[in-house]
Amino acid sequence: MLLIACPHCGPRAQEEFSYERTTDSVVTTEAAPDAAMTALFTRENPRGVAEEIWRHTYGCRGWMVFRRDRISHAISDIRPLGPEPLA
Amino acid sequence: MNARDGSPVRFRFDGREYTGQAGDTLAAALIANGVALVARSFKYHRPRGIMAAGVEEPSALVTVGEGGRREPNTRATDVFLYEGLVAESQNRWPSLAFDLGAINGLLSPLIPAGFYYKTFFGPPKRWLRYEHFIRKAAGMGAPPTAADPDAYAHRAAFCDVLVVGAGPAGLAAAVSAAEAGRRVMLVEQDCRIGGALLREDVAIDGIAGHDWSARAAARIRALGGRILMRATATGYWDHNLVTVIERRAEPGAVPPVDQPAQVLWKVRAGEVILATGAIERPLAFSGNDRPGVMLAQAARTYARRYGVKPGRRAVIATAHDDGYRTAFALADAGVEVAAVLDSRDNPQGTLVAAARGRFAVHTGAVPLAAKRSGDRVGALVADLGGRQQTFAADLVAVSGGVTPVVHLHKQAGGELVWDAGMEAFLPGASRQANRSIGAAAGGHSLAAILAESWAAGGGPARNFAVTDPLGDAAAPQAAPPPGAVAPGKSFVDFQNDVTLADVDLAWREGYRSVEHLKRYTTLGMATDQGKTSNMAALSRLAQAQGVEIPAAGLTTFRPPYTPATLGAFAGGAVGDHAAPIRRLPLYDKHEALGAVWQPVGYWRRPRGYPRPGEALGEASLREARMVRSAVGLVDVSTLATFAVSGPDAALLLELVCATGVAKLAEGRGRYTFMLREDGFVMDDGTVWRTAPARYLLTSSTGGSDRMAQRLSYVRNVLRPDLRVSVANLQEHFAAIAVAGPRAADLLAELTGAPPPRHMSCDSGAIGGTAVTILAASYSGERAFEVYAPADAIGPVWDALFAGASARDGGAYGLDAMDALRVEKGHVVVGAEVDGRSTPADLALAGMVRKAGGFTGWQGLTRPALADPSGRRQLVGLESLDGPIPEGGMLVPAPGQEPQGHVTTAAPRVAQAGWIGLALVVDGASRHGDELLAWSPTRRQQTRVRLSASHFYDAEGARYRD
């Protein structure tokens, strides 16, 4: 089970998080149909590093993105996703 | 430690009472009582005894405990005696000594390796015929039928160093780490500290081995380290998480007061030190499974640690020096050692020399067959370099080398390297922060192990003085696989009854890969996962292939390392704690009205309110008719409710909803639905503009978590730039739907104002509580949803209920709600919206925004979704005879290809008869067709006519003002 350093809460067990998708399978509403379906159904599944979106669903509920090596499970470059906090 | 001076403990085995000693395993106590036959084997029902002294025991499986505490397939070597322990042998009938199933052994030519496999490939009927016989005859212990009365717990722990195994290596590493100031956790599956030291006659730094162990443990505790006994590290997961199952009660025993039977620890460790030891390998010869044939280190353990004699006259058959140690230990314990048979031609060294002076040592000697005397071994026939000799013995202690326990290292993703000298796989490079020490890493010299382990713990280099009267241990060596297979059964996998001949047969039949061999013969697939058998089979396979063992391959090491009780995984999440129960804010009001509760996810919702003597179905029909004729109240607090506000609120909603939102006027609402990204309908609900830049979105109960996730995803990931906030108000609000021809009158009276028009919203007050009123109809009648803060809903309900009662109305439940909406033709998420339906399938295409721009619009353009022909489309069903089976398939005649299925069925409310909704291929153009609603599982069938999905007030005249 992964240990994920939530940008808001610090290191927490994977069971508090939910995996969303890789950044390259994000489909915007502006995407053309072919591109959207490719992103959804013919995704890369790299044997190596992928950029993944996760949510601390059973914690702070914040969203984040990080790079994960799918062989060693090493996690790096973690940063929050979402609107800028109000000044 | 040699003396049997523990306090007496009484126990029962197969109905007979025995006395053992505190600290004994069940196996040790049975040996002490002269019980040799303890089990029947899995397939052939062969008599079996005790082969090992630890968790690797393949043969001596027993059922321990009674009632809900029965634990089948427990290794007699892995349960420690307690007063009143009750154990039973397994897989025998009518008794262990006289077992009719033993005929399987005589029939074995008819049930060779791959028998099950071949049976599966035969005609299915053959398997059906055999299954009963096989399941009965091929036996493990029976599971308990009573509920487990004990509690189980989960705990999390963190440490700098987790040491697995409290033998000499683990203890040295743990003390060293603790002395270095690291947070240490040490787990040991045994009930005693010491590991191999418990069976060896050695001293460390002048202190006897077991005393040294006790002092080490005390030192670890004094330095703040935590030691868990009877705790097995069963799994090694990502990011250095190790699961440890700690037994607080022996199998079948009543746990101490206020203690769980077991604790599942999730230990996140900075570093893991694996000191898991090694397991001895048996030898392959005919009858090598007979009671009295025992691993040599196990025989030594019984003699030294437990002070019991595993036999009266022993023959030791060994492939390396370690077997000689057993000869000395047995002789010291008063067992006659008839001979030491060494398979090596010319063994050297001080230990061999010392043995030659005391025992009859035969070199180049290979055991051929164990002869029986009664149920146990009576003699061993051996080949002494071409000459056969029979040695009378009731104990044959065997050692075919050792297999380091690399399970956790491998589970952690580590590599293995082949040691040609030991003929064993040793831990290679680790993928995670773990290292292996001691016998698990192939170590054998105690002094070297201690020094290396101390260094592994992080302490400054130091040496240990080891005193061993037999000298320093030599490197283990493995027995070569035998040449020709002797007549009779030479077992490789004792627990699954796989013989050397079976491995050879698999090879002859073309099973070349070790993974195929495993599946074909079931080798290594028993509860011991091949701890004593896999290497012997690999060696045989490699021999047949003419390759080195590493080239033959290796099967996967999977958790758990030893069998685990399901209760340990369930932990506290059983019974009422298995899932949270979400109670409605109006729970007590419903309960007082006699609600029948229906689980809906974690919620409990009123299904109906039967009166005394009234069946639920009758009550629901009465409630539904009450709504058609007067007024009814239904609790809709479980609907998902979100407030979306800010200048970009409409923009966000239009990203999520497939229908138009932006043009909604203030104070107005409309029906909406949302698509998945692949174009199928995900959920539906209503959207209301309650203020210029504020909207209220409701959606289905069952989809509420999914909808919350979707809104959050769109807001945070897709469009973090929008000026909008999304608040999940489900827990904040409670809601009551008020429906029926007298609903408007009721609301007008209670609020003192005219109620909002259909699909309009307003605020007001009922009974002094501020409420939001949404005029939406799900039933087909004039209806309103009244929202109030959850903690203030009580007076609102009371006022509405009193007013409804005065108008011949009252409360209605889910079944009535369902009947009303089916009659009206409304779809529901989970029935018609089943994840495979498009808006067009549900006759909702007209509401979809043509310009796109919403989630899922691209998916809708896919040819299979865009082309309506051949798609299952929403239709109504009118029964031509009885009730329609919900979930039934729609066929021209029984047994024919289904053309659709019944999504919902209900009695008609307004008149007699039964109706339903269905998804039928090309259904929209097939109104008037007749089909059979057929449910073979419920043995129901009803003729139905396809129709439009509106059965009642198709024009909507009843709910408009």
Side-chain angles (χ1 to χ4, degrees):
Chain A
M1 184 164 55
L2 305 181
L3 190 65
I4 299 171
C6 171
H8 308 288
C9 311
R12 301 283 166 143
Q14 182 185 344
E15 60 194 342
E16 294 182 15
F17 295 78
S18 44
Y19 171 74
E20 172 60 36
R21 63 180 78 199
T22 54
T23 48
D24 61 5
S25 51
V26 170
V27 177
T28 68
T29 51
E30 291 91 46
D34 280 358
M37 292 305 109
T38 301
L40 280 185
F41 293 115
T42 50
R43 302 190 297 267
E44 291 295 316
N45 183 16
R47 183 181 158 80
V49 176
E51 196 175 57
E52 300 176 343
I53 298 170
W54 289 67
R55 188 183 187 196
H56 197 185
T57 311
Y58 305 102
C60 67
R61 299 191 181 175
W63 293 83
M64 66 208 69
V65 61
F66 53 75
R67 290 161 62 78
R68 183 169 69 95
D69 187 318
R70 289 173 171 191
I71 300 170
S72 71
H73 298 293
I75 292 173
S76 61
D77 301 328
I78 192 160
R79 60 189 166 84
L81 283 179
E84 293 291 318
L86 295 176
Chain B
M1 77 179 162
N2 297 348
R4 276 182 73 70
D5 55 3
S7 52
V9 179
R10 284 169 302 167
F11 69 100
R12 296 180 78 83
F13 176 66
D14 274 354
R16 270 194 65 183
E17 187 139 333
Y18 298 94
T19 304
Q21 289 189 359
D24 278 354
T25 57
L26 174 61
L30 287 171
I31 292 171
N33 281 280
V35 179
L37 173 63
V38 299
R40 288 275 173 179
S41 75
F42 180 68
K43 185 171 164 190
Y44 300 129
H45 291 242
R46 306 248 311 178
R48 290 282 168 83
I50 292 152
M51 218 180 90
V55 298
E56 69 274 23
E57 173 64 46
S59 293
L61 300 187
V62 295
T63 296
V64 179
E66 293 177 298
R69 293 196 174 91
R70 266 171 67 93
E71 205 169 303
N73 312 323
T74 303
R75 297 149 304 281
T77 53
D78 190 25
V79 51
F80 289 92
L81 278 199
Y82 52 89
E83 187 66 27
L85 180 150
V86 176
E88 280 195 5
S89 57
Q90 301 177 169
N91 204 29
R92 83 288 191 272
W93 188 84
S95 75
L96 185 59
F98 179 72
D99 172 38
L100 286 177
I103 197 165
N104 279 12
L106 302 176
L107 294 176
S108 62
L110 303 179
I111 41 175
F115 169 73
Y116 307 134
Y117 196 87
K118 285 164 181 161
T119 313
F120 285 128
F121 274 85
K125 281 202 170 130
R126 220 172 87 190
W127 167 247
L128 293 176
R129 184 143 35 91
Y130 287 140
E131 189 190 6
H132 177 71
F133 156 77
I134 289 172
R135 291 222 188 280
K136 215 173 149 73
M140 301 298 285
T145 50
D148 190 331
D150 294 330
Y152 294 80
H154 288 182
R155 283 190 68 175
F158 307 88
C159 58
D160 296 323
V161 189
L162 171 68
V163 181
V164 180
L171 286 169
V175 174
S176 164
E179 298 275 10
R182 304 166 82 186
R183 281 186 305 171
V184 174
M185 198 162 163
L186 172 64
V187 299
E188 168 55 53
Q189 63 192 1
D190 204 328
C191 74
R192 278 183 71 183
I193 292 281
L197 294 177
L198 296 172
R199 65 165 186 259
E200 307 298 352
D201 178 21
V202 294
I204 299 170
D205 292 341
I207 305 162
H210 50 100
D211 288 338
W212 182 87
S213 307
R215 290 187 194 190
R219 184 66 186 147
I220 293 162
R221 291 196 177 100
L223 289 167
R226 175 186 261 160
I227 301 179
L228 300 180
M229 300 303 297
R230 290 299 273 151
T232 307
T234 54
Y236 198 133
W237 315 87
D238 298 323
H239 289 183
N240 260 26
L241 182 82
V242 177
T243 43
V244 177
I245 295 180
E246 178 195 13
R247 278 194 180 276
R248 300 242 170 121
E250 288 300 315
V254 181
V257 175
D258 292 338
Q259 288 282 322
Q262 296 182 23
V263 180
L264 173 68
W265 293 80
K266 300 175 188 175
V267 184
R268 190 77 74 166
E271 186 191 3
V272 179
I273 295 181
L274 300 170
T276 44
I279 289 172
E280 198 162 32
R281 299 180 199 170
L283 290 171
F285 53 87
S286 174
N288 63 345
D289 64 325
R290 294 200 187 288
V293 179
M294 185 180 280
L295 294 171
Q297 290 181 352
R300 197 149 93 228
T301 301
Y302 288 115
R304 283 238 177 83
R305 170 174 174 177
Y306 297 104
V308 301
K309 296 182 193 176
R312 285 187 293 273
R313 185 180 152 90
V315 171
I316 287 101
T318 184
H320 60 147
D321 278 11
D322 194 70
Y324 289 78
R325 293 176 173 269
T326 296
F328 287 98
L330 289 174
D332 291 347
V335 178
E336 182 189 349
V337 176
V340 177
L341 309 181
D342 191 328
S343 60
R344 296 172 295 184
D345 288 328
N346 189 20
Q348 299 292 326
T350 54
L351 183 58
V352 177
R356 284 185 197 276
R358 191 167 170 189
F359 310 113
V361 175
H362 301 271
T363 56
V366 178
L368 296 178
K371 298 294 181 192
R372 72 190 190 96
S373 166
D375 276 322
R376 74 179 288 165
V377 66
L380 181 72
V381 183
D383 178 304
L384 306 180
R387 177 175 60 90
Q388 283 196 10
Q389 187 172 333
T390 302
F391 299 89
D394 65 348
L395 172 67
V396 177
V398 297
S399 182
V402 298
T403 305
V405 177
V406 297
H407 294 65
L408 294 174
H409 169 80
K410 202 74 177 65
Q411 285 179 23
E415 292 170 11
L416 295 180
V417 292
W418 177 248
D419 183 297
M422 278 179 70
E423 292 199 26
F425 289 103
L426 301 183
S430 299
R431 181 185 284 172
Q432 302 195 35
N434 64 283
R435 66 171 99 186
S436 299
I437 57 172
H444 46 88
S445 156
L446 182 56
I449 285 174
L450 289 167
E452 287 161 15
S453 301
W454 183 270
R462 65 160 286 191
N463 283 316
F464 294 82
V466 172
T467 317
D468 185 340
L470 298 179
D472 206 15
Q477 289 172 266
V485 178
K489 290 186 169 60
S490 302
F491 284 91
V492 176
D493 184 331
F494 295 76
Q495 195 167 115
N496 261 356
D497 270 356
V498 180
T499 66
L500 215 48
D502 292 331
V503 176
D504 292 350
L505 176 70
W507 170 260
R508 286 199 306 276
E509 294 193 347
Y511 293 87
R512 295 294 185 261
S513 138
V514 62
E515 294 288 351
H516 291 158
L517 170 74
K518 169 184 164 178
R519 281 155 184 80
Y520 192 60
T521 61
T522 73
L523 180 120
M525 292 167 76
T527 64
D528 65 352
Q529 292 189 70
K531 289 185 178 65
T532 54
S533 61
N534 279 350
M535 286 311 296
L538 273 185
S539 148
R540 188 66 170 184
L541 192 65
Q543 187 188 37
Q545 292 185 8
V547 297
E548 283 290 301
I549 289 177
L554 191 61
T555 53
T556 311
F557 293 90
R558 291 191 174 86
Y561 171 64
T562 50
T565 311
L566 287 179
F569 299 111
V574 293
D576 287 342
H577 298 289
I581 292 179
R582 298 180 78 176
R583 286 190 170 187
L584 295 165
L586 291 168
Y587 180 90
D588 292 341
K589 308 276 185 196
H590 299 305
E591 185 72 17
L593 288 172
V596 172
W597 294 100
Q598 166 81 34
V600 180
Y602 294 145
W603 292 104
R604 298 288 179 278
R605 298 185 68 182
R607 193 173 164 193
Y609 305 85
R611 291 170 177 167
E614 193 180 38
L616 180 63
E618 295 165 355
S620 299
L621 204 53
R622 169 180 54 74
E623 292 165 10
R625 286 179 177 152
M626 172 185 80
V627 175
R628 288 270 183 265
S629 63
V631 59
L633 311 178
V634 63
D635 193 326
V636 292
S637 304
T638 61
L639 288 177
T641 315
F642 303 93
V644 181
S645 44
D648 294 331
L651 191 52
L652 179 92
L653 285 165
E654 288 213 329
L655 291 173
V656 174
C657 300
T659 63
V661 175
K663 290 179 186 154
L664 203 57
E666 190 183 340
R668 296 287 290 167
R670 65 178 304 192
Y671 174 76
T672 186
F673 50 89
M674 307 80 179
L675 305 187
R676 301 194 316 214
E677 287 179 320
D678 60 7
F680 293 111
V681 180
M682 179 178 91
D683 208 336
D684 72 348
T686 54
V687 58
W688 307 82
R689 190 171 189 177
T690 53
R694 183 177 168 88
Y695 293 82
L696 199 63
L697 177 72
T698 72
S699 58
S700 73
T701 297
S704 64
D705 292 347
R706 182 179 53 195
M707 185 57 64
Q709 181 85 354
R710 167 63 61 86
L711 286 164
S712 182
Y713 171 78
V714 172
R715 197 269 168 280
N716 288 282
V717 180
L718 282 191
R719 296 301 299 271
D721 58 309
L722 295 185
R723 295 162 300 161
V724 61
S725 102
V726 180
N728 186 342
L729 299 182
Q730 181 174 40
E731 292 286 330
H732 173 72
F733 276 136
I736 304 160
V738 187
R742 295 172 194 165
D745 177 51
L746 169 59
L747 275 190
E749 179 190 295
L750 294 180
T751 59
R757 289 188 304 125
H758 182 61
M759 294 318 284
S760 293
C761 56
D762 206 349
S763 54
I766 293 179
T769 302
V771 296
T772 301
I773 303 171
L774 314 176
S777 174
Y778 192 53
S779 56
E781 303 298 331
R782 186 82 164 93
F784 308 89
E785 289 171 9
V786 179
Y787 283 77
D791 58 358
I793 194 75
V796 178
W797 171 269
D798 288 342
L800 285 168
F801 191 77
S805 300
R807 288 167 174 81
D808 298 323
Y812 67 103
L814 288 182
D815 283 8
M817 191 168 84
D818 216 37
L820 292 163
R821 71 102 185 161
V822 170
E823 204 168 51
K824 196 67 190 118
H826 288 310
V827 298
V828 69
V829 176
E832 291 76 30
V833 179
D834 64 355
R836 297 174 296 179
S837 38
T838 65
D841 296 342
L842 301 171
L844 298 170
M847 293 182 69
V848 174
R849 298 207 313 274
K850 300 292 175 287
F854 52 89
T855 301
W857 73 269
Q858 297 101 328
L860 282 182
T861 65
R862 291 189 289 165
L865 276 69
D867 181 1
S869 66
R871 296 202 55 81
R872 290 193 176 198
Q873 296 161 341
L874 181 71
V875 294
L877 301 177
E878 290 174 292
S879 169
L880 301 178
D881 32 74
I884 301 171
E886 199 166 86
M889 56 185 104
L890 291 164
V891 292
Q896 292 192 341
E897 197 64 21
Q899 300 177 3
H901 64 277
V902 182
T903 52
T904 322
R908 288 194 101 125
V909 177
Q911 61 194 81
W914 290 273
I915 51 173
L917 297 175
L919 291 165
V920 177
V921 174
D922 299 327
S925 57
R926 292 182 58 185
H927 295 177
D929 283 9
E930 287 184 16
L931 286 169
L932 190 68
W934 184 47
S935 172
T937 51
R938 275 186 270 172
R939 301 174 196 280
Q940 281 181 32
Q941 56 181 63
T942 306
R943 301 281 323 160
V944 293
R945 185 187 296 124
L946 309 191
S947 67
S949 57
H950 306 285
F951 299 95
Y952 180 77
D953 185 32
E955 305 76 32
R958 290 184 67 88
Y959 52 75
R960 296 192 205 283
D961 320 81

